[in-house]
Amino acid sequence: MKNRPYVYDLIMLLVGALTITLDQWSKAAVRQYFGTCNTGAYIPFPNDHFGLTYACNTGAAFSLFQHGHEILLFLFIAAALAVVIWLYIHFSSQPSLLLKLSFGLVLGGAIGNLIDRFRLGYVTDFLLFTVRQVGFLFPVFNLADSAICLGIFLLMIYLWRRPTPAKRTPGPQKTDPTMAEPASAERPS
């Protein structure tokens, strides 16, 4: 299929758009249902280890750099965006569906969280995983965070499995037989 790279780019855009849509829809539903954030209200779904809550995250992914660390948050977001942009530019010519899916998920998740940050001043987080019996409480997250993590995981699989270009080994070089060197007797001294 000659147009495969363009189809993969289209799939990347569709995955990114779907990620943004589902993320924004789920966050709006949580804000409407819970009303006020950070109240500690919790709805177990489907069991006590996983459920829904409503947290206003002023930090980065998984509540990193919260509580007055705006400069660190800005540096973290800028560095993450620079890495994603560099990776996309570096690998954009690769005709790999796995690579394009990973970029679609990462970019869709990042844009979904940036929409919240610019529109609301915080990111809506609502998914909570916990094992209360041992005191394990994972930071509250959302679908955009999940998409970013899944995209990074797929990118790592791509980088691990991608074919590496053949390296040239030092040694005798092949020459054109029509350009053969003169025999040692014919060489000038």
Side-chain angles (χ1 to χ4, degrees), residues 37-38 54-74 76-77 117 121-125 139-141:
C37 66
N38 299 329
Y54 177 25
C56 296
N57 177 2
T58 58
F62 305 112
S63 301
L64 295 173
F65 307 121
Q66 222 171 1
H67 309 298
H69 295 99
E70 288 83 14
I71 293 175
L72 289 176
L73 174 63
F74 174 77
F76 176 78
I77 291 172
R117 187 160 308 284
Y122 61 88
V123 175
T124 302
D125 287 337
V140 183
F141 59 102

Side-chain angles (χ1 to χ4, degrees), residues 22-98:
L22 289 175
D23 176 65
Q24 290 299 300
W25 173 80
S26 63
K27 290 173 179 175
V30 165
R31 286 191 299 269
Q32 182 179 0
Y33 181 81
F34 282 94
T36 307
C37 66
N38 299 329
T39 62
Y42 176 71
I43 301 171
F45 177 81
N47 56 38
D48 196 36
H49 299 297
F50 186 76
L52 302 175
T53 189
Y54 177 25
C56 296
N57 177 2
T58 58
F62 305 112
S63 301
L64 295 173
F65 307 121
Q66 222 171 1
H67 309 298
H69 295 99
E70 288 83 14
I71 293 175
L72 289 176
L73 174 63
F74 174 77
L75 292 174
F76 176 78
I77 291 172
L81 285 174
V83 167
V84 168
I85 291 168
W86 180 85
L87 285 170
Y88 181 76
I89 290 169
H90 185 72
F91 292 112
S92 65
S93 64
Q94 300 293 321
S96 168
L97 181 59
L98 182 62

